[in-house]
Amino acid sequence: MMFIERVYGDGVFKGWYETAVGRQTGVKFPLVGKISTSQTNPTFGFTVVWKESTTTWVGQFFDRNGEQTLLTTWILRNDNSYEDDWESTLIGKDQFKRTESSKK
């Protein structure tokens, strides 16, 4: 789950990210990002630094009939040795939807 706590006038935003495991243990990780402020469907990027890796998401915001959705592609880089560089980077996709509790 991603929670955005504040969006500044220049498009910078801050919040926190909670994994499925984190929900059970109460562990949250800070996130920081930036959103373009001049588009109908703005693009954005944000980063979370975990204990031994970093993930950056890049994506676009869509509002379709009141359903607000972030479509993203992420890249995760693990802390690894030079020799194991080939297995250190993962790429995937995520979709975030605004929930009722997050609209408050």
Side-chain angles (χ1 to χ4, degrees), residues 36 39-43 60-63:
S36 62
Q39 300 168 321
T40 303
N41 295 310
T43 57
Q60 191 167 10
F61 168 85
F62 295 94
D63 187 339

Side-chain angles (χ1 to χ4, degrees), residues 1 17-19 27-30 46-57 75-78:
M1 260 190 227
Y17 193 94
E18 187 178 52
T19 65
V27 176
K28 299 174 185 174
F29 294 89
F46 67 92
T47 299
V48 175
V49 178
W50 315 98
K51 293 180 182 177
E52 296 180 5
S53 63
T54 300
T55 304
T56 297
W57 287 260
I75 186 165
L76 179 143
R77 178 65 186 204
N78 286 309

Side-chain angles (χ1 to χ4, degrees), residues 34-103:
K34 183 157 173 108
I35 188 167
S36 62
T37 57
S38 61
Q39 300 168 321
T40 303
N41 295 310
T43 57
F44 63 90
F46 67 92
T47 299
V48 175
V49 178
W50 315 98
K51 293 180 182 177
E52 296 180 5
S53 63
T54 300
T55 304
T56 297
W57 287 260
V58 62
Q60 191 167 10
F61 168 85
F62 295 94
D63 187 339
R64 297 179 70 201
N65 302 319
E67 182 178 72
Q68 296 178 342
T69 304
L70 304 177
L71 299 180
T72 68
T73 299
W74 54 263
I75 186 165
L76 179 143
R77 178 65 186 204
N78 286 309
D79 180 15
N80 219 332
S81 68
Y82 181 85
E83 293 75 23
D84 291 329
D85 177 64
W86 66 272
E87 66 179 355
S88 297
T89 303
L90 303 171
I91 299 172
K93 290 188 171 275
D94 277 329
Q95 188 176 116
F96 300 91
K97 293 186 184 270
R98 180 172 278 196
T99 62
E100 286 303 314
S101 63
S102 67
K103 290 183 182 178

